[in-house]
Amino acid sequence: MTEEKGTKSAPAKKQKINLNRVEMPKQSEHERRHNFDEVALGYTWELAKEEASRCIQCKKRPCQQGCPVNIDIPDFIAALQREDVEEAARILKRKTSLPGVCGRVCPQELQCENACTLNKKGAPVAIGRLERFIADWERTQGAPTMPEMAPSTGKKVAVVGSGPSGLTVASDLAILGHQVVLFEALHVAGGVLMYGIPQFRLPKEIVQREVQYVQSLGVDLRLNTVIGINYSLDELLRTDYDAVYLAPGAGLPKFLGVPGENLNMVYSANEFLTRTNLMKAYRYPEYATPIKMGKKVAVIGGGNVAMDAARCAVRLGAQEVYVIYRRTRAEMPARLEEVENAEEEGIEFHFLCNPTAFLSDGRNNVAAMELIRMKLTEPDESGRRRPVPIPGSEYILDVDTVVVSLGTSPNPLIPSTTPDLNVTRWGTVVTDERGRTSKARVWAGGDIVSGGATVISAMGEGRIAAASMHEFLSNGQKKIIPPSPATDDPKTL
Amino acid sequence: MYSIVEHEVLAPRVHRLRVQAPVVAEKAKPGQFVILIIDEKGERVPFTISDWDSEAGTVDFVFIEVGKTTQQLATMQPGDQLLSFIGPLGRPAEVGQFGHVVSVLSGYGIAAMVPILKALKDNGNTLTTIVQAPDQDRLFGQKPLEELSDTLILALGTQGDGMMESTTVAMRKLLNQHPKRRIDRVIAMCSLCLMRVLSEMTRPYAIKTMVHLTPVMVDGTGMCGACRLSVGRTNRFACVHGPEFDGHEVDGWEVLMARRCTYADESILQQGFQCRGCSQW
């Protein structure tokens, strides 16, 4: 790429804008098809310096506004430009406790990098890769930088769910001096970062390292504890806790509701990924959890989870892996980078088709599926082109394993055991713009509110709720009931 | 970590473990289950709770050695630690005032049913219990059943001289007396095949028949969808909507049986755990 005119629109700096984004080395597609090691290898110090030098430090800081947790992006890049990685890490940690995670799985192309001034030239600064570099540098070379901790406030908070949203609230409130207990239903912390996102995209050691960092802030992590069963929300509020943050996620898998969907070897993406990632089935029998998979695997859906499932199937030894999506490539919700990775790994994409039935081999194992071709309508009022089936276009595709990846709905456990918590008809918890629910002293965020979104948006909601909770807890003397979007029962206090 | 405080061998390959788990014991109710993980490399495996003591903070469960995890559990001794022990999961069993309740038990169900029977007894029900075991040596836990049941029928030995009666024959006899000697409810906690057969036997009499279904499970809290089954033409998850279901409402037993067998490997088949006539094996 060459420089073009238009340097006028750039800030009044003499240096020329470098439009050559530094590529991040990756494992070759041939090699990575056979292992669960991380695909992207990360920048070296030389590459990171070179990429950081591209940042023009523009005054408007659009990248920071594009970040859901408002990371001081120009500042940490400036620190890299000064070759002070430790300072860069400190700046990063001011706004995120999970830089190693964010640097890997955030959809930067839609957020900070989309807002980057250089994006107008098509070559935004690779902010995500730089963030990842700093986090990895700190993990491998430096001592973890610790934030300044506020003195104890004597207030106690329960955080339900240790996924990205819960971890953010737990660390924010701990730094602000509150005593935090973080409850997790599974046997390890991290939520979707552990059970959902595969090792080759987000190594579990990195997640655990960041969980340990949150614990090092004084957060008391209680695993194997299911809120809604072991303690109801009211029990938490009645006993020790001044406030509660709900982030139990959207665990419940969705299905198509077509005949044969419960046949053997039809998996939900959650089961397939949980076996593979959380329970390490790819290292069976060293790890005791098995996973059974055939040779021809179809993954239904077009999101990041579908890409993860398809790429896991490749690594588990499938001969053919198809991604079945009812719209076209342009509408796929998955990150472009992951779609490209999937294509490089030999995954076949079937667009504009949708399963209408799963067929049995006679012994109740899936042997094939019936698909119908789809077409997109003209854009409707919302501007969306809806997929509609083309009558009579059904056809059969032989498969022996199916992974259904159509998204999830909120886990109903807490709402169902908390009658005075307002939920929508989709089961998501209703909150106001600061994360407050209809129930006094209860905030919520992450997928239980959004119904299924990204790691960083869950963190962003956590950050806002933590600020709101802190404000409430700081006024605790007056026993203020937080104003809430719906009816409030003061008796619950 | 969760300490094992007792280990009793009840019959060949049948064990009872008592685990220190106060948080689980505190909330346990009849018919609920736990998910445990032995160690870092272990799998998540569900077991129905057979007893608990909320004061001592302990939970009991009974298991039969079938695969790798249960064989490993069988070697564990008091003082050993389990990595994870989550529960009580699932909905408690219905234990209302029904009248005459007939329950059919085999395997781990012989022990796991005891808390349900206790609660039913406390609610004033009359209890008839049919227990199936391959032979007298492999029958265990008879005493609490004798104490709780108004009538206890042992269906022992399907082969050889010891054969007295099969479960279905005993059930047929009881059904023949209905409605003179009225049966108000049947509860089955036994093999999937037997639960299916029993559900079909009671259907013409419209006797409500509850079955305890334990499909393959991973997380046990409604997240993975592994334990889904069709009940009343709706998809249900055994871990959150069950494990107790109305046997007359269960659709597609064959599919359920196939799913149950997904991870039944050679090591299980060799031990003769096949149910006769099952299409999967």
Side-chain angles (χ1 to χ4, degrees):
Chain A
M1 248 184 285
T2 51
E3 284 170 38
E4 299 165 54
K5 55 180 171 104
T7 31
K8 267 183 248 161
S9 64
K13 284 217 170 178
K14 296 221 172 87
Q15 76 182 76
K16 287 182 177 175
I17 297 175
N18 177 359
L19 289 177
N20 295 312
R21 232 165 114 96
V22 178
E23 282 310 313
M24 177 166 52
K26 293 205 278 199
Q27 261 198 82
S28 78
E29 49 257 42
H30 173 72
E31 212 176 316
R32 70 185 198 241
R33 283 177 62 100
H34 306 289
N35 68 54
F36 272 81
D37 299 341
E38 203 171 7
V39 168
L41 301 171
Y43 280 154
T44 59
W45 174 221
E46 273 63 40
L47 294 175
K49 261 194 303 196
E50 192 185 333
E51 182 62 23
S53 74
R54 295 182 54 234
C55 175
I56 55 171
Q57 292 287 316
C58 51
K59 286 208 180 71
K60 274 168 42 195
R61 303 169 78 95
C63 51
Q64 185 165 358
Q65 287 146 36
C67 171
V69 295
N70 198 33
I71 291 174
D72 309 287
I73 294 165
D75 298 340
F76 85 66
I77 298 181
L80 284 181
Q81 289 172 343
R82 294 194 304 271
E83 306 198 356
D84 188 349
V85 193
E86 219 175 304
E87 173 63 9
R90 225 179 338 265
I91 295 166
L92 204 46
K93 286 283 194 59
R94 285 207 298 248
K95 300 284 174 66
T96 173
S97 301
L98 311 172
V101 171
C102 294
R104 286 174 167 81
V105 303
C106 272
Q108 291 105 6
E109 67 278 9
L110 302 176
Q111 298 170 335
C112 53
E113 293 179 15
N114 183 48
C116 174
T117 306
L118 299 193
N119 193 29
K120 289 176 196 144
K121 308 271 183 196
V125 175
I127 298 165
R129 295 171 187 173
L130 292 175
E131 180 180 19
R132 172 189 162 140
F133 169 80
I134 297 165
D136 290 355
W137 177 90
E138 191 190 25
R139 195 177 70 250
T140 52
Q141 313 194 15
T145 54
M146 291 296 285
E148 209 174 296
M149 306 286 291
S152 170
T153 61
K155 300 287 175 180
K156 196 168 175 183
V157 180
V159 176
V160 181
S162 66
S165 201
L167 287 171
T168 302
V169 170
S171 53
D172 278 12
L173 291 179
I175 291 168
L176 291 164
H178 306 293
Q179 192 187 342
V180 181
V181 179
L182 178 57
F183 292 103
E184 169 56 48
L186 288 173
H187 59 286
V188 286
V192 69
L193 307 174
M194 290 303 289
Y195 74 76
I197 303 175
Q199 181 78 8
F200 54 81
R201 204 148 75 77
L202 177 65
K204 301 306 141 206
E205 306 77 65
I206 287 170
V207 180
Q208 287 314 303
R209 181 79 181 216
E210 301 198 346
V211 168
Q212 280 161 21
Y213 166 75
V214 173
Q215 283 180 282
S216 76
L217 301 172
V219 171
D220 177 6
L221 173 62
R222 301 213 192 138
L223 301 171
N224 304 315
T225 314
V226 191
I227 301 304
I229 292 178
N230 297 123
Y231 309 102
S232 71
L233 198 50
D234 284 315
E235 272 177 289
L236 294 178
L237 292 167
R238 248 199 327 269
T239 53
D240 283 358
Y241 299 93
D242 296 290
V244 177
Y245 182 70
L246 288 181
L252 219 58
K254 286 182 190 160
F255 291 94
L256 288 153
V258 300
E261 204 166 15
N262 287 351
L263 286 171
N264 213 6
M265 304 305 287
V266 179
Y267 287 96
S268 75
N270 269 5
E271 180 187 357
F272 192 76
L273 292 174
T274 301
R275 282 182 186 277
T276 312
N277 306 321
L278 179 71
M279 304 310 293
K280 295 201 166 27
Y282 64 93
R283 289 170 67 180
Y284 180 83
E286 184 197 349
Y287 284 76
T289 304
I291 190 159
K292 216 169 178 179
M293 196 193 66
K295 300 288 172 209
K296 292 183 174 188
V297 181
V299 178
I300 319 294
N304 286 320
V305 176
M307 296 306 111
D308 286 345
R311 297 174 67 199
C312 280
V314 167
R315 286 160 176 77
L316 289 165
Q319 278 166 9
E320 288 165 52
V321 181
Y322 316 118
V323 167
I324 311 291
Y325 183 54
R326 62 196 184 130
R327 296 187 171 93
T328 73
R329 183 177 166 140
E331 288 87 19
M332 271 177 99
R335 287 186 69 190
L336 183 63
E337 187 182 326
E338 304 307 341
V339 178
E340 284 169 359
N341 279 333
E343 280 171 340
E344 285 171 13
E345 288 162 18
I347 288 157
E348 240 181 74
F349 287 78
H350 292 214
F351 295 113
L352 290 169
C353 56
N354 204 29
T356 48
F358 298 96
L359 311 175
S360 160
D361 66 348
R363 297 179 66 198
N364 294 302
N365 303 302
V366 69
M369 58 185 183
E370 187 190 81
L371 296 154
I372 191 161
R373 294 191 199 284
M374 310 289 282
K375 62 180 177 199
L376 294 179
T377 59
E378 290 306 309
D380 59 16
E381 316 83 70
S382 66
R384 254 165 85 88
R385 303 179 69 194
R386 279 183 307 108
V388 289
I390 303 171
S393 67
E394 290 88 349
Y395 64 104
I396 303 283
L397 181 68
D398 285 352
V399 290
D400 52 19
T401 309
V402 174
V403 181
V404 180
S405 174
L406 299 169
T408 54
S409 37
N411 195 319
L413 191 57
I414 291 170
S416 71
T417 52
T418 317
D420 52 343
L421 188 68
N422 274 5
V423 293
T424 66
R425 63 192 169 102
W426 298 278
T428 52
V429 170
V430 179
T431 62
D432 69 3
E433 72 288 351
R434 303 202 65 201
R436 287 175 294 207
T437 70
S438 60
K439 199 171 163 66
R441 298 190 287 147
V442 179
W443 282 253
D447 283 356
I448 191 76
V449 170
S450 63
T454 59
V455 167
I456 192 75
S457 63
M459 290 176 63
E461 286 157 25
R463 162 104 345 114
I464 292 164
S468 170
M469 291 171 83
H470 175 61
E471 199 180 294
F472 166 71
L473 292 166
S474 310
N475 285 329
Q477 299 291 60
K478 300 175 204 160
K479 270 254 170 194
I480 284 178
I481 302 163
S484 54
T487 49
D488 225 352
D489 182 5
K491 274 178 290 197
T492 53
L493 262 175
Chain B
M1 299 292 265
Y2 302 80
S3 289
I4 291 169
V5 289
E6 254 180 66
H7 180 172
E8 185 188 356
V9 180
L10 301 172
R13 310 188 83 81
V14 183
H15 306 253
R16 180 181 63 84
L17 285 184
R18 174 164 295 173
V19 178
Q20 192 71 42
V23 173
V24 181
E26 175 81 33
K27 294 286 168 82
K29 290 208 171 61
Q32 290 186 297
F33 65 94
V34 293
I35 287 212
L36 67 80
I37 306 171
I38 297 179
D39 56 28
E40 207 196 305
K41 294 182 175 175
E43 54 182 337
R44 295 172 66 92
V45 196
F47 294 98
T48 305
I49 297 170
S50 63
D51 198 7
W52 62 92
D53 181 337
S54 50
E55 271 174 37
T58 59
V59 175
D60 290 18
F61 66 96
V62 168
F63 65 93
I64 303 173
E65 287 178 60
V66 280
K68 186 179 164 182
T69 296
T70 44
Q71 281 161 10
Q72 198 183 341
L73 269 181
T75 67
M76 298 189 82
Q77 294 307 321
D80 289 348
Q81 308 274 320
L82 298 170
L83 174 71
S84 168
F85 197 80
I86 306 171
L89 300 170
R91 298 202 316 185
E94 286 181 20
V95 288
Q97 278 179 285
F98 304 118
H100 179 207
V101 180
V102 175
S103 44
V104 181
L105 319 175
S106 75
Y108 77 90
I110 297 172
M113 190 70 179
V114 170
I116 301 176
L117 292 179
K118 263 186 204 159
L120 287 168
K121 191 82 202 163
D122 288 347
N123 283 341
N125 295 286
T126 304
L127 304 180
T128 298
T129 310
I130 306 173
V131 180
Q132 183 194 285
D135 51 48
Q136 187 71 47
D137 292 343
R138 281 184 276 178
L139 176 67
F140 61 90
Q142 205 173 331
K143 204 164 158 251
L145 296 178
E146 268 164 13
E147 285 165 12
L148 290 166
S149 313
D150 298 277
T151 312
L152 180 66
I153 301 167
L154 299 179
L156 299 179
T158 51
Q159 41 200 307
D161 305 333
M163 177 162 162
M164 289 152 77
E165 201 163 29
S166 85
T167 319
T168 46
V169 171
M171 191 69 199
R172 174 59 58 205
K173 284 184 183 167
L174 290 172
L175 286 172
N176 286 342
Q177 295 167 26
H178 176 85
K180 219 170 111 196
R181 187 171 178 249
R182 197 182 148 74
I183 300 172
D184 297 288
R185 179 174 282 237
V186 172
I187 306 176
M189 203 188 275
C190 45
S191 75
L192 204 46
C193 309
L194 189 50
M195 288 193 281
R196 177 187 189 178
V197 170
L198 290 166
S199 299
E200 289 317 314
M201 285 175 78
T202 58
R203 192 191 296 276
Y205 300 87
I207 299 169
K208 184 114 166 170
T209 301
M210 304 308 283
V211 291
H212 281 254
L213 302 178
T214 48
V216 171
M217 238 174 234
V218 184
D219 82 298
T221 62
M223 183 269 272
C224 75
C227 66
R228 69 189 190 275
L229 66 151
S230 176
V231 180
R233 312 232 167 267
T234 323
N235 240 354
R236 292 287 177 189
F237 293 170
C239 67
V240 289
H241 303 111
E244 192 180 62
F245 291 100
D246 185 333
H248 297 158
E249 295 271 299
V250 174
D251 310 311
W253 286 93
E254 295 88 355
V255 175
L256 190 58
M257 286 155 91
R259 292 183 65 81
R260 181 85 172 89
C261 298
T262 314
Y263 291 99
D265 60 12
E266 292 305 313
S267 68
I268 294 173
L269 298 188
Q270 280 159 12
Q271 293 171 38
F273 274 91
Q274 298 94 319
C275 31
R276 280 159 301 155
C278 174
S279 64
Q280 289 305 302
W281 289 352

